[in-house]
Amino acid sequence: MPCLNEVQSLRHCIANALEALDRIHAVHGLSGEVVIADNGSTDGSQALAAALGARVVNVSRKGYGAAIIGGFDAAYGRYLVMGDCDGSYDFNDAVAMVTRLVEGGDLCMGSRFKGGIAPGAMPWKNRYIGNPVLTGVLNLFFRSGIDDAHCGLRAIRKDCYARLGLTSDGMEFASEMVIKASLLSMVIEQVPATLSRDLRDRAPHLRPWRDGWRHLRYLFMLSPTWAFGVPAALMMGAGALIFVLLTLFTLHLLPGEPRLGVSWGIVGAFLLTTGHFAAVMALATHCYGVRQGYRPLRPILRRLSPVLTLENALIAGGGAIIASILSFGAVIYWWTSLDFQALPTTLPLLISVVLGVTGMQTALGGFLLSIIAGHDAQFCPDNAISTQLLALSARSIW
């Protein structure tokens, strides 16, 4: 249990957790402990917890996620249960969670929407806006298949926890756990969990708008596809369509008066170059996730890995730059042949600009990808994920 000045509710929560441990022992023959991950309490929470039979772990790094990580790291059990110590959760609901883990699950989430929410236990904006929206976005991005991504009562196998390599200090820790478990194709279960009004007479540590934004931005940070890939595809598709139409009108292959002029050509160039940059960022951030061990390499990138190298990026980028220079030269020659009069169309000049910009981005992006790859010219080697997971497993054993 993460703890920060919870002396009012600790007695109830520790008694409830010990009761749950007795039930787990009766059902599965497992022994357990109550770990209080204290995050700097000044109200005597540490002494009270120790007197009530819990083991207190002092966590100096501040934040909800930091406290849970500190408690998980210090815990001795094979199965880890996390839950707030404000009295809002019933730890007896964790008995079913541990059962799911014993039966082969990796992570078991609680669902407050299936278990029941007491009147006044959850603000309306959290219940009807924040939680559904964030859970929906998480399921859209990562296909987790759960209906309450932010339930604070959940259980996880310790070896699976070690594989996740969780790092978030704040409330986004809750999303990070689900996201990385989904990316690594872990078995995620879900059981009902009840939510009651907390037992404290002060405001909770949660700040809905601030923490909601932190969750949302974190979802995009861990999804290169939606943060970069989808915008890249939309922008490059729109830019390419504009240039195709411009070319067809310029060559009089479309009937009627031209519908697109210089302005749309500039928009198309912007969309193509910005979309290309976003595509480079999508590849870079995906490869970073693979190197860090929390996502597998996409099959299409695995097949293309022999050609995704720094040398090929430099060749492709250099070729585009040379083509841009030659195109500029042709435009200048055409301009001089017209006695330095304004060109009848800016399409060739815009094509030159697009070639030059994308060429530079490809070459520089190649160096970025090589740096992310550990200063290796191979951007995404096949063994990247397995090597990282072996390292994480070794760390967890240690």
Side-chain angles (χ1 to χ4, degrees), residues 9 15 39 42 49 57 72 86 88 93 114 117 134 138 145-146 171 188 274 307 330:
S9 52
N39 212 200
T42 57
V57 175
F72 275 179
D86 58 7
S88 59
D93 293 334
K114 290 181 177 178
I117 301 173
L134 292 174
L138 189 148
I146 58 177
M171 293 293 182
I188 302 177
T274 307
V307 300

PDB file of all heavy atoms in Angstrom, residues 9 15 39 42 49 57 72 86 88 93 114 117 134 138 145-146 171 188 274 307 330:
ATOM      1  N   SER A   9      -6.787   6.052   8.269  1.00  0.00           N
ATOM      2  CA  SER A   9      -7.380   4.874   7.626  1.00  0.00           C
ATOM      3  C   SER A   9      -6.501   3.629   7.711  1.00  0.00           C
ATOM      4  O   SER A   9      -6.944   2.543   7.333  1.00  0.00           O
ATOM      5  CB  SER A   9      -7.670   5.186   6.150  1.00  0.00           C
ATOM      6  OG  SER A   9      -6.516   5.706   5.514  1.00  0.00           O
ATOM      7  N   ALA A  15      -5.985  -4.178   8.873  1.00  0.00           N
ATOM      8  CA  ALA A  15      -6.836  -5.264   9.361  1.00  0.00           C
ATOM      9  C   ALA A  15      -7.544  -5.963   8.201  1.00  0.00           C
ATOM     10  O   ALA A  15      -7.651  -7.197   8.163  1.00  0.00           O
ATOM     11  CB  ALA A  15      -7.849  -4.718  10.359  1.00  0.00           C
ATOM     12  N   ASN A  39       5.823   7.170   1.819  1.00  0.00           N
ATOM     13  CA  ASN A  39       6.397   8.171   0.925  1.00  0.00           C
ATOM     14  C   ASN A  39       6.711   9.491   1.636  1.00  0.00           C
ATOM     15  O   ASN A  39       6.645  10.560   1.032  1.00  0.00           O
ATOM     16  CB  ASN A  39       5.435   8.421  -0.231  1.00  0.00           C
ATOM     17  CG  ASN A  39       6.118   8.766  -1.539  1.00  0.00           C
ATOM     18  OD1 ASN A  39       5.504   9.328  -2.428  1.00  0.00           O
ATOM     19  ND2 ASN A  39       7.394   8.440  -1.693  1.00  0.00           N
ATOM     20  N   THR A  42       4.311  12.295   7.832  1.00  0.00           N
ATOM     21  CA  THR A  42       4.726  13.066   9.015  1.00  0.00           C
ATOM     22  C   THR A  42       3.683  12.986  10.126  1.00  0.00           C
ATOM     23  O   THR A  42       3.762  13.733  11.102  1.00  0.00           O
ATOM     24  CB  THR A  42       4.943  14.541   8.635  1.00  0.00           C
ATOM     25  OG1 THR A  42       3.735  15.064   8.055  1.00  0.00           O
ATOM     26  CG2 THR A  42       6.091  14.689   7.642  1.00  0.00           C
ATOM     27  N   ALA A  49       1.653   1.619  11.496  1.00  0.00           N
ATOM     28  CA  ALA A  49       1.672   0.458  10.603  1.00  0.00           C
ATOM     29  C   ALA A  49       2.521  -0.664  11.194  1.00  0.00           C
ATOM     30  O   ALA A  49       2.129  -1.841  11.163  1.00  0.00           O
ATOM     31  CB  ALA A  49       2.203   0.866   9.234  1.00  0.00           C
ATOM     32  N   VAL A  57       8.276   0.129   4.504  1.00  0.00           N
ATOM     33  CA  VAL A  57       9.389   0.392   3.594  1.00  0.00           C
ATOM     34  C   VAL A  57       9.379   1.887   3.296  1.00  0.00           C
ATOM     35  O   VAL A  57       8.377   2.415   2.789  1.00  0.00           O
ATOM     36  CB  VAL A  57       9.253  -0.408   2.285  1.00  0.00           C
ATOM     37  CG1 VAL A  57      10.352  -0.019   1.308  1.00  0.00           C
ATOM     38  CG2 VAL A  57       9.273  -1.904   2.562  1.00  0.00           C
ATOM     39  N   PHE A  72       6.856  -2.784  -4.169  1.00  0.00           N
ATOM     40  CA  PHE A  72       6.977  -4.019  -4.955  1.00  0.00           C
ATOM     41  C   PHE A  72       8.407  -4.558  -4.916  1.00  0.00           C
ATOM     42  O   PHE A  72       8.632  -5.763  -4.783  1.00  0.00           O
ATOM     43  CB  PHE A  72       6.571  -3.750  -6.401  1.00  0.00           C
ATOM     44  CG  PHE A  72       5.092  -3.856  -6.657  1.00  0.00           C
ATOM     45  CD1 PHE A  72       4.585  -3.623  -7.925  1.00  0.00           C
ATOM     46  CD2 PHE A  72       4.203  -4.184  -5.649  1.00  0.00           C
ATOM     47  CE1 PHE A  72       3.221  -3.726  -8.181  1.00  0.00           C
ATOM     48  CE2 PHE A  72       2.843  -4.290  -5.880  1.00  0.00           C
ATOM     49  CZ  PHE A  72       2.353  -4.061  -7.163  1.00  0.00           C
ATOM     50  N   ASP A  86      -6.553   4.123   1.822  1.00  0.00           N
ATOM     51  CA  ASP A  86      -7.501   5.146   2.256  1.00  0.00           C
ATOM     52  C   ASP A  86      -8.847   4.544   2.639  1.00  0.00           C
ATOM     53  O   ASP A  86      -9.788   5.268   2.966  1.00  0.00           O
ATOM     54  CB  ASP A  86      -7.697   6.199   1.163  1.00  0.00           C
ATOM     55  CG  ASP A  86      -8.187   5.597  -0.147  1.00  0.00           C
ATOM     56  OD1 ASP A  86      -8.501   4.386  -0.178  1.00  0.00           O
ATOM     57  OD2 ASP A  86      -8.272   6.342  -1.145  1.00  0.00           O
ATOM     58  N   SER A  88     -10.854   2.831   0.656  1.00  0.00           N
ATOM     59  CA  SER A  88     -11.816   2.781  -0.447  1.00  0.00           C
ATOM     60  C   SER A  88     -11.920   1.399  -1.077  1.00  0.00           C
ATOM     61  O   SER A  88     -12.932   1.070  -1.698  1.00  0.00           O
ATOM     62  CB  SER A  88     -11.456   3.824  -1.511  1.00  0.00           C
ATOM     63  OG  SER A  88     -10.156   3.589  -2.008  1.00  0.00           O
ATOM     64  N   ASP A  93     -11.399  -8.519  -2.093  1.00  0.00           N
ATOM     65  CA  ASP A  93     -11.575  -8.686  -3.533  1.00  0.00           C
ATOM     66  C   ASP A  93     -10.308  -9.217  -4.201  1.00  0.00           C
ATOM     67  O   ASP A  93     -10.369  -9.746  -5.323  1.00  0.00           O
ATOM     68  CB  ASP A  93     -11.957  -7.346  -4.177  1.00  0.00           C
ATOM     69  CG  ASP A  93     -13.340  -6.863  -3.749  1.00  0.00           C
ATOM     70  OD1 ASP A  93     -14.174  -7.712  -3.394  1.00  0.00           O
ATOM     71  OD2 ASP A  93     -13.564  -5.632  -3.749  1.00  0.00           O
ATOM     72  N   LYS A 114     -17.892  -3.234 -12.507  1.00  0.00           N
ATOM     73  CA  LYS A 114     -18.551  -4.533 -12.347  1.00  0.00           C
ATOM     74  C   LYS A 114     -18.792  -4.863 -10.879  1.00  0.00           C
ATOM     75  O   LYS A 114     -19.743  -5.556 -10.543  1.00  0.00           O
ATOM     76  CB  LYS A 114     -17.701  -5.629 -12.983  1.00  0.00           C
ATOM     77  CG  LYS A 114     -17.646  -5.569 -14.497  1.00  0.00           C
ATOM     78  CD  LYS A 114     -16.813  -6.704 -15.076  1.00  0.00           C
ATOM     79  CE  LYS A 114     -16.817  -6.670 -16.609  1.00  0.00           C
ATOM     80  NZ  LYS A 114     -15.969  -7.740 -17.187  1.00  0.00           N
ATOM     81  N   ILE A 117     -19.813   0.760  -7.194  1.00  0.00           N
ATOM     82  CA  ILE A 117     -19.249   2.009  -6.689  1.00  0.00           C
ATOM     83  C   ILE A 117     -20.254   2.630  -5.734  1.00  0.00           C
ATOM     84  O   ILE A 117     -21.388   2.933  -6.119  1.00  0.00           O
ATOM     85  CB  ILE A 117     -18.933   2.979  -7.850  1.00  0.00           C
ATOM     86  CG1 ILE A 117     -17.942   2.337  -8.826  1.00  0.00           C
ATOM     87  CG2 ILE A 117     -18.388   4.296  -7.311  1.00  0.00           C
ATOM     88  CD1 ILE A 117     -17.710   3.151 -10.083  1.00  0.00           C
ATOM     89  N   LEU A 134     -10.221   7.718 -20.826  1.00  0.00           N
ATOM     90  CA  LEU A 134      -8.849   7.229 -20.768  1.00  0.00           C
ATOM     91  C   LEU A 134      -8.783   5.723 -20.983  1.00  0.00           C
ATOM     92  O   LEU A 134      -7.875   5.222 -21.672  1.00  0.00           O
ATOM     93  CB  LEU A 134      -8.209   7.607 -19.428  1.00  0.00           C
ATOM     94  CG  LEU A 134      -7.962   9.102 -19.222  1.00  0.00           C
ATOM     95  CD1 LEU A 134      -7.468   9.377 -17.805  1.00  0.00           C
ATOM     96  CD2 LEU A 134      -6.951   9.635 -20.245  1.00  0.00           C
ATOM     97  N   LEU A 138      -6.904   3.924 -24.104  1.00  0.00           N
ATOM     98  CA  LEU A 138      -5.923   2.869 -23.835  1.00  0.00           C
ATOM     99  C   LEU A 138      -6.275   1.598 -24.601  1.00  0.00           C
ATOM    100  O   LEU A 138      -5.400   0.962 -25.212  1.00  0.00           O
ATOM    101  CB  LEU A 138      -5.858   2.600 -22.327  1.00  0.00           C
ATOM    102  CG  LEU A 138      -4.739   1.680 -21.832  1.00  0.00           C
ATOM    103  CD1 LEU A 138      -4.277   2.090 -20.440  1.00  0.00           C
ATOM    104  CD2 LEU A 138      -5.170   0.223 -21.803  1.00  0.00           C
ATOM    105  N   GLY A 145      -8.402  -4.654 -23.658  1.00  0.00           N
ATOM    106  CA  GLY A 145      -9.619  -5.397 -23.414  1.00  0.00           C
ATOM    107  C   GLY A 145     -10.136  -5.334 -21.994  1.00  0.00           C
ATOM    108  O   GLY A 145     -10.777  -6.273 -21.523  1.00  0.00           O
ATOM    109  N   ILE A 146      -9.884  -4.233 -21.274  1.00  0.00           N
ATOM    110  CA  ILE A 146     -10.372  -4.087 -19.909  1.00  0.00           C
ATOM    111  C   ILE A 146     -11.311  -2.881 -19.848  1.00  0.00           C
ATOM    112  O   ILE A 146     -11.286  -2.021 -20.727  1.00  0.00           O
ATOM    113  CB  ILE A 146      -9.214  -3.915 -18.900  1.00  0.00           C
ATOM    114  CG1 ILE A 146      -8.366  -2.706 -19.264  1.00  0.00           C
ATOM    115  CG2 ILE A 146      -8.359  -5.169 -18.844  1.00  0.00           C
ATOM    116  CD1 ILE A 146      -7.256  -2.426 -18.279  1.00  0.00           C
ATOM    117  N   MET A 171       0.734   9.236 -11.003  1.00  0.00           N
ATOM    118  CA  MET A 171      -0.471   8.443 -11.170  1.00  0.00           C
ATOM    119  C   MET A 171      -0.496   7.686 -12.502  1.00  0.00           C
ATOM    120  O   MET A 171      -1.229   6.698 -12.633  1.00  0.00           O
ATOM    121  CB  MET A 171      -1.707   9.353 -11.077  1.00  0.00           C
ATOM    122  CG  MET A 171      -1.942   9.948  -9.701  1.00  0.00           C
ATOM    123  SD  MET A 171      -2.384   8.672  -8.499  1.00  0.00           S
ATOM    124  CE  MET A 171      -2.645   9.685  -7.025  1.00  0.00           C
ATOM    125  N   ILE A 188      -3.813 -10.824 -19.224  1.00  0.00           N
ATOM    126  CA  ILE A 188      -4.446  -9.844 -18.340  1.00  0.00           C
ATOM    127  C   ILE A 188      -5.860 -10.319 -18.009  1.00  0.00           C
ATOM    128  O   ILE A 188      -6.676 -10.517 -18.901  1.00  0.00           O
ATOM    129  CB  ILE A 188      -4.492  -8.451 -18.990  1.00  0.00           C
ATOM    130  CG1 ILE A 188      -3.075  -7.977 -19.357  1.00  0.00           C
ATOM    131  CG2 ILE A 188      -5.152  -7.443 -18.053  1.00  0.00           C
ATOM    132  CD1 ILE A 188      -3.047  -6.641 -20.068  1.00  0.00           C
ATOM    133  N   THR A 274       6.387  17.363 -43.362  1.00  0.00           N
ATOM    134  CA  THR A 274       6.066  17.144 -41.956  1.00  0.00           C
ATOM    135  C   THR A 274       5.657  15.700 -41.716  1.00  0.00           C
ATOM    136  O   THR A 274       6.029  15.088 -40.704  1.00  0.00           O
ATOM    137  CB  THR A 274       4.931  18.082 -41.507  1.00  0.00           C
ATOM    138  OG1 THR A 274       5.277  19.433 -41.824  1.00  0.00           O
ATOM    139  CG2 THR A 274       4.692  17.982 -40.009  1.00  0.00           C
ATOM    140  N   VAL A 307      17.456  -4.204 -44.342  1.00  0.00           N
ATOM    141  CA  VAL A 307      17.668  -2.983 -45.132  1.00  0.00           C
ATOM    142  C   VAL A 307      17.551  -1.715 -44.288  1.00  0.00           C
ATOM    143  O   VAL A 307      17.884  -0.629 -44.759  1.00  0.00           O
ATOM    144  CB  VAL A 307      16.681  -2.909 -46.317  1.00  0.00           C
ATOM    145  CG1 VAL A 307      16.869  -4.099 -47.233  1.00  0.00           C
ATOM    146  CG2 VAL A 307      15.239  -2.839 -45.827  1.00  0.00           C
ATOM    147  N   ALA A 330      17.643  22.493 -62.847  1.00  0.00           N
ATOM    148  CA  ALA A 330      16.747  22.526 -63.997  1.00  0.00           C
ATOM    149  C   ALA A 330      15.782  23.710 -63.913  1.00  0.00           C
ATOM    150  O   ALA A 330      15.486  24.368 -64.923  1.00  0.00           O
ATOM    151  CB  ALA A 330      15.970  21.211 -64.078  1.00  0.00           C
TER     152      ALA A 330
END
